[in-house]
Amino acid sequence: MPAAASGWTPVFVQRPVAATGSGGVSTLSPAAPNGWVPAPTPPFTQEAGVNCDFPLHAEPVVDEVVTRVLERFPDGSIRRDAYRGDLVVRVTNDETGGHYDADVSGSALVDHATDGSQTWYVAGPVLLRVREGQGNIPRGLWIVDGLYRLAISATGHRTLTMVRGSLDNVCDHL
């Protein structure tokens, strides 16, 4: 999932991700069949201490994520959208050059609130960036897998509620 506005890297995120941390808004291209359009996940770089103890760079090596708007607010902004598709993000430790390929090919339904907060309902893995004190899980670059809900406040605080699943900190692999 894209990680953009959500801080995912869906790297569900950043995007979005593509729920990734502090920015990015997906630009929808003309509608494809059934309304699904590409939702590219942007690469990102983090300084040491933000998510991991070392500086890192992440970029998709496989990105077939698509999105579909399901509902809009009266002003035309997105109220609910969905994401699906294959996404593999290569995360590189910029100090050592070591890398880890994270398969984060989850699917998500995302509810957007008018205050900028989001609620993600997810099946499968996504990449979630969490800063110190900004989530109910520790700082890290997490592969969250399973069935879960992720609430992202307007200030960026992440609250993960697992129904069933697992957490794996990519920082530990590098």
Side-chain angles (χ1 to χ4, degrees):
M1 303 295 62
S6 65
W8 292 91
T9 309
V11 269
F12 178 22
V13 91
Q14 166 148 19
R15 264 195 40 36
V17 103
T20 276
S22 64
V25 175
S26 173
T27 303
L28 299 179
S29 51
N34 300 319
W36 292 96
V37 296
T41 299
F44 67 91
T45 301
Q46 292 287 315
E47 295 176 9
V50 175
N51 297 117
C52 301
D53 291 337
F54 47 84
L56 64 87
H57 178 76
E59 64 183 87
V61 292
V62 174
D63 191 349
E64 298 174 6
V65 176
V66 292
T67 186
R68 181 177 177 190
V69 175
L70 302 174
E71 188 176 348
R72 292 187 180 275
F73 287 105
D75 69 359
S77 61
I78 297 172
R79 180 181 205 149
R80 176 176 279 174
D81 53 358
Y83 295 90
R84 68 180 186 194
D86 293 340
L87 179 61
V88 177
V89 176
R90 175 162 292 164
V91 181
T92 303
N93 179 328
D94 285 344
E95 286 180 351
T96 68
H99 70 270
Y100 181 81
D101 290 343
D103 183 346
V104 288
S105 303
S107 298
L109 178 67
V110 182
D111 287 335
H112 303 265
T114 57
D115 67 356
S117 63
Q118 301 176 4
T119 303
W120 293 65
Y121 302 92
V122 186
V126 298
L127 193 58
L128 176 63
R129 296 187 285 169
V130 178
R131 294 174 181 246
E132 190 68 44
Q134 284 294 303
N136 67 336
I137 60 175
R139 171 183 71 107
L141 183 61
W142 297 95
I143 297 174
V144 185
D145 195 1
L147 295 174
Y148 50 95
R149 182 183 72 218
L150 177 69
I152 303 171
S153 75
T155 63
H157 189 274
R158 289 134 170 73
T159 303
L160 178 66
T161 305
M162 298 292 292
V163 175
R164 182 180 186 111
S166 62
L167 293 170
D168 182 20
N169 192 346
V170 173
C171 303
D172 296 340
H173 295 280
L174 298 169

